[in-house]
Amino acid sequence: MTEFNEKQIEILQVAEQLFAEEGFDGTSVRDIAKKANINIAMISYYFGSKEKLLESLVLYRISGMRMHLENLYQENISPIEKIEKLIVYYIERVNKNRCMYQILHFELSNKKREINLEAFTEVKNQNLKFLEGIIKEGQEQGMFQSDINVTLLPTIIIGSFIHFQMNKVYYKEILGLKTEEDFENYVLNDLTAHIQKTIKALLVYEK
Amino acid sequence: MTEFNEKQIEILQVAEQLFAEEGFDGTSVRDIAKKANINIAMISYYFGSKEKLLESLVLYRISGMRMHLENLYQENISPIEKIEKLIVYYIERVNKNRCMYQILHFELSNKKREINLEAFTEVKNQNLKFLEGIIKEGQEQGMFQSDINVTLLPTIIIGSFIHFQMNKVYYKEILGLKTEEDFENYVLNDLTAHIQKTIKALLVYEK
DNA sequence: AATTAATTTAAACAAACGTTTAATTTAAAC
DNA sequence: GTTTAAATTAAACGTTTGTTTAAATTAATT
């Protein structure tokens, strides 16, 4: 993969923020150029086109999304504690890459552009493998139930988190979270704890 | 509220599909006019502008989104069965209004347009009230735990569902769902059951 | 110091955008 | 049947869009 120089990374970061806030089609190359303090032509010069800028951005971000779970997997703690930690990792990753997730969320369901998501699929599959390992360990120790749909566990974790973020305005109002800080704290404490509790409950729940 | 005539509803439906598939900014009034077999000027004539068309669309759809839960609430079944049914209702509603949810999901996080979502908030709050009632009933009967964060229950239900829909391509591949029908069936059977199980587990889970 | 390559610029390009106009057709009211 | 209103049309409006050009500047190489 081609590396990006400082100027290119600056453009990528500005583009990421704008694409997330205004959408890809809602952002013009002039908007990007203005915010990044560069000439419009630099976008074509460096990336080829606006669409290829998006492709570069997706590639650039996803390559840094891999979670490093090897250590967690081998830690000498109970499977239930591993699950708790894993959920924190999941949420941290989605939270850190909020903008990219927002962009992907839209692009995934947009019929007019097709972006290569192999790298993203690979990351997800790898995380799923780790999760499977932990679940299996818990099942062997008799702590978790046997009929667990592992594929749908990250669905709950990430889905709940993203839905909460997307409906920020609503949740801020209904939960009485006045500042951005209040919201951020709620996400990292209450919401995370709630998701942890949910997954743990599901793992030990018997019909 | 002003009623819409047949022609207007036709335009609204076409616009809904296109906005969901290509995004608001990715859809031109010419696209809408072409697909609806009308002249471009008719959009301004009927709705004023493209933005006002979106406003009309949101209003038109959300007014029909209210779930009618009065009967469910009074049915002579256990709280746990009520929860199961309620989840089916939730999923049915989101599934039926998939396009609108997709549009809202994007518009909610788009900084450049502000759409009035009072009606949507009202619908959500009302559904939350019903849910609260059922949870309370279950708690009084000693079936549910006492420390339930009711606000975050729909978050899990709707968030998981939407996330699953958004990542359709990925899940179709990983779950071996070949046709659209396979996918739809998985959603209405497996995914729904999984969400039901998750919520039930959470309600009875003791630390 | 001279030459080559890489970067940056302002200007121009055609195409597409949302909206408006003024003329025409259709429907309704009298 | 005439008049008035509503619906529909093609054409044009001024902007904005993404991209390209060719000239100017800066950096790297010899």
Side-chain angles (χ1 to χ4, degrees), chain A residues 3-182:
Chain A
E3 288 298 312
F4 299 113
N5 62 40
E6 278 185 41
K7 211 119 211 171
Q8 286 173 303
I9 290 176
E10 164 77 5
I11 296 172
L12 286 172
Q13 286 171 339
V14 167
E16 180 177 40
Q17 200 199 326
L18 287 174
F19 288 165
E21 283 177 358
E22 327 261 341
F24 179 80
D25 290 310
T27 305
S28 71
V29 289
R30 282 169 181 83
D31 292 336
I32 299 170
K34 202 173 191 179
K35 189 152 193 177
N37 282 313
I38 52 148
N39 189 280
I40 330 164
M42 295 305 290
I43 288 166
S44 295
Y45 178 73
Y46 274 135
F47 300 98
S49 69
K50 189 188 168 191
E51 284 220 19
K52 281 182 185 162
L53 167 63
L54 175 62
E55 279 176 41
S56 296
L57 174 59
V58 171
L59 221 69
Y60 170 66
R61 272 286 181 251
I62 287 180
S63 66
M65 263 196 197
R66 216 186 132 253
M67 299 196 289
H68 297 282
L69 303 169
E70 296 82 0
N71 298 334
L72 171 67
Y73 192 67
Q74 286 164 0
E75 266 186 66
N76 192 23
I77 52 176
S78 73
I80 206 125
E81 284 173 300
K82 284 186 185 174
I83 290 288
E84 283 173 353
K85 279 200 174 184
L86 190 64
I87 290 172
V88 172
Y89 285 154
Y90 263 109
I91 290 179
E92 267 176 1
R93 194 194 55 171
V94 184
N95 201 33
K96 214 178 78 184
N97 297 287
R98 239 179 301 165
C99 285
M100 182 44 61
Y101 267 91
Q102 194 146 316
I103 295 168
L104 286 177
H105 225 222
F106 181 69
E107 291 304 322
L108 283 172
S109 53
N110 192 309
K111 284 197 176 173
K112 79 183 346 170
R113 283 178 295 278
E114 277 193 32
I115 42 179
N116 180 8
L117 291 167
E118 262 182 71
F120 194 43
T121 303
E122 211 176 301
V123 167
K124 284 192 281 191
N125 283 338
Q126 197 168 32
N127 294 334
L128 213 53
K129 272 249 174 81
F130 273 105
L131 184 57
E132 259 168 11
I134 297 172
I135 302 290
K136 212 171 200 173
E137 196 186 337
Q139 284 170 334
E140 280 162 1
Q141 294 182 23
M143 301 176 82
F144 298 160
Q145 291 296 314
S146 59
D147 58 334
I148 305 291
N149 187 330
V150 182
T151 312
L152 293 183
L153 292 184
T155 315
I156 293 178
I157 301 168
I158 300 176
S160 303
F161 181 83
I162 292 181
H163 188 255
F164 194 84
Q165 291 279 0
M166 290 278 187
N167 291 273
K168 192 175 185 170
V169 178
Y170 173 72
Y171 283 113
K172 277 182 86 168
E173 194 193 316
I174 203 174
L175 293 169
L177 307 171
K178 280 161 195 160
T179 67
E180 282 299 298
E181 210 191 336
D182 288 344

Side-chain angles (χ1 to χ4, degrees), chain B residues 58-68 93 96-97:
Chain B
V58 171
L59 220 69
Y60 169 66
R61 271 286 180 253
I62 288 180
S63 66
M65 264 195 197
R66 217 187 131 252
M67 297 197 289
H68 297 283
R93 195 194 55 172
K96 215 178 77 184
N97 297 287

Side-chain angles (χ1 to χ4, degrees), chain B residues 47-192:
Chain B
F47 300 98
S49 70
K50 190 188 168 190
E51 284 220 20
K52 281 181 186 164
L53 167 63
L54 175 62
E55 280 176 39
S56 295
L57 175 59
V58 171
L59 220 69
Y60 169 66
R61 271 286 180 253
I62 288 180
S63 66
M65 264 195 197
R66 217 187 131 252
M67 297 197 289
H68 297 283
L69 303 169
E70 296 82 1
N71 298 334
L72 171 67
Y73 193 67
Q74 285 163 0
E75 265 185 67
N76 192 24
I77 53 175
S78 74
I80 206 125
E81 284 173 301
K82 284 185 184 174
I83 289 289
E84 283 174 353
K85 279 200 172 184
L86 190 63
I87 291 171
V88 172
Y89 285 155
Y90 263 109
I91 290 179
E92 267 176 1
R93 195 194 55 172
V94 184
N95 201 33
K96 215 178 77 184
N97 297 287
R98 242 180 297 166
C99 286
M100 181 45 61
Y101 267 91
Q102 194 145 315
I103 295 169
L104 287 177
H105 226 224
F106 181 69
E107 291 304 322
L108 283 171
S109 53
N110 192 308
K111 282 197 175 172
K112 78 182 348 171
R113 282 178 296 278
E114 277 193 31
I115 42 178
N116 181 9
L117 290 168
E118 261 182 72
F120 194 42
T121 303
E122 210 176 301
V123 166
K124 284 192 280 191
N125 283 337
Q126 197 169 33
N127 293 334
L128 213 53
K129 272 249 173 84
F130 273 103
L131 184 57
E132 260 169 10
I134 296 173
I135 302 291
K136 211 171 204 174
E137 196 186 335
Q139 285 170 332
E140 280 163 2
Q141 295 182 22
M143 301 175 82
F144 298 160
Q145 292 296 315
S146 60
D147 58 333
I148 305 292
N149 188 330
V150 182
T151 313
L152 293 182
L153 292 184
T155 315
I156 293 178
I157 301 169
I158 299 176
S160 304
F161 180 83
I162 291 182
H163 188 255
F164 194 84
Q165 290 279 359
M166 290 277 187
N167 291 272
K168 191 175 184 170
V169 178
Y170 173 72
Y171 284 113
K172 276 182 87 169
E173 193 194 316
I174 203 175
L175 292 170
L177 308 170
K178 279 159 194 162
T179 65
E180 282 299 299
E181 209 190 337
D182 288 345
F183 183 80
E184 182 84 358
N185 282 335
Y186 191 90
V187 166
L188 296 179
N189 299 321
D190 303 56
L191 180 63
T192 301

